[in-house]
Amino acid sequence: MAQILSVNLAVPEPNSAKEVGVTGINKRPVDGAVPVRAPGPKTVGLGSGLVGDQIFDVRHHGGDDQAVYAYAREDYDWWEAELGRPLADGVFGENLTTVGLDVNGAVIGEQWRIGSELVLQTTFGRIPCATFQLKMGIPRWLKRFTREARPGAYLRVLRPGEVRAGDEVTVLHRPEHGVTVAEGFRAWMSEPELLPRLLAVEEAPEDLREQLRRRLNA
């Protein structure tokens, strides 16, 4: 059964990788239910979709199309074997650590019901940044993370609700276009020949699609 293994909220820490100076990438599991709602536009909204979470670099993170970030425990287990070190839930900065759910294999625009009310929709994969590199402290981490194409998924909130550890995750709808989170990530980061397929995905964020149009027309 697919379910939420942990719900993770930010514990702010200094960030020398960006001018903002503080980051919320350090997330740790919390007990109990956490309300989830659409945060509004990037830069002027509430940032994260989870009440109690914090986003500081609001220019590049958060907003309706990045309201929630999910990462699979199975992918953490794979990285643990590769890196030879333990990786706790939340260390990649995800709000929801899942189990039994193929997050990277989810189709962009796929809808998940979590618990009895909350409905989320996948929008795109996580694009690694300098803060992530600093957090991991592994040489050439960004290139390594990109090469493996296990980015985890950003999600928008279609119906607000609460989420707690142990909640079941049900896939309500899967678009027929078939472009997965991992394929979209590869198209954007390393395989430009896939960009036309990604551009055709109507469920992808509009600002991303606009950037795709410019890249393809250049």
Side-chain angles (χ1 to χ4, degrees):
M1 180 180 70
Q3 65 182 61
I4 303 300
L5 187 62
S6 67
V7 179
N8 315 303
L9 300 182
V11 178
E13 60 185 16
N15 179 21
S16 61
K18 293 185 178 180
E19 292 182 0
V20 177
V22 184
T23 177
I25 194 174
N26 179 33
K27 300 192 190 297
R28 296 178 186 171
V30 297
D31 296 327
V34 176
V36 183
R37 74 291 189 251
K42 191 177 290 187
T43 73
V44 297
L46 299 171
S48 174
L50 279 74
V51 173
D53 192 29
Q54 293 176 276
I55 291 175
F56 297 92
D57 182 5
V58 295
R59 180 181 176 188
H60 299 104
H61 301 288
D64 284 337
D65 291 325
Q66 298 179 8
V68 181
Y69 177 42
Y71 205 80
R73 186 63 243 179
E74 292 86 349
D75 288 310
Y76 268 137
D77 294 343
W78 185 90
W79 278 115
E80 284 186 341
E82 283 289 302
L83 301 177
R85 67 189 242 193
L87 296 169
D89 294 352
V91 75
F92 280 10
E94 82 279 6
N95 302 111
L96 306 178
T97 310
T98 67
V99 65
L101 183 67
D102 186 0
V103 175
N104 297 308
V107 172
I108 295 174
E110 190 169 295
Q111 296 179 22
W112 302 346
R113 184 180 67 225
I114 300 177
S116 60
E117 295 183 353
L118 180 62
V119 178
L120 304 179
Q121 182 182 44
T122 57
T123 58
F124 202 59
R126 181 258 194 84
I127 304 301
C129 65
T131 300
F132 194 25
Q133 173 70 59
L134 180 66
K135 175 71 173 176
M136 295 301 294
I138 297 172
R140 302 173 65 85
W141 169 248
L142 298 188
K143 290 187 177 181
R144 189 170 183 178
F145 184 83
T146 297
R147 183 176 66 247
E148 300 302 339
R150 296 169 181 261
Y154 281 124
L155 303 107
R156 59 172 65 100
V157 180
L158 297 186
R159 187 169 71 198
E162 293 184 336
V163 62
R164 57 178 57 79
D167 277 349
E168 183 176 355
V169 182
T170 303
V171 177
L172 297 179
H173 172 69
R174 181 173 285 130
E176 294 182 358
H177 59 73
V179 178
T180 66
V181 168
E183 183 179 355
F185 177 83
R186 297 198 324 270
W188 183 257
M189 298 295 292
S190 60
E191 299 180 34
E193 66 273 13
L194 298 176
L195 289 176
R197 274 177 53 79
L198 179 57
L199 180 58
V201 177
E202 295 181 356
E203 295 87 352
E206 183 53 39
D207 61 343
L208 174 75
R209 298 182 74 209
E210 181 57 34
Q211 292 180 65
L212 286 172
R213 293 185 190 99
R214 290 199 296 267
R215 286 177 65 175
L216 289 169
N217 290 331

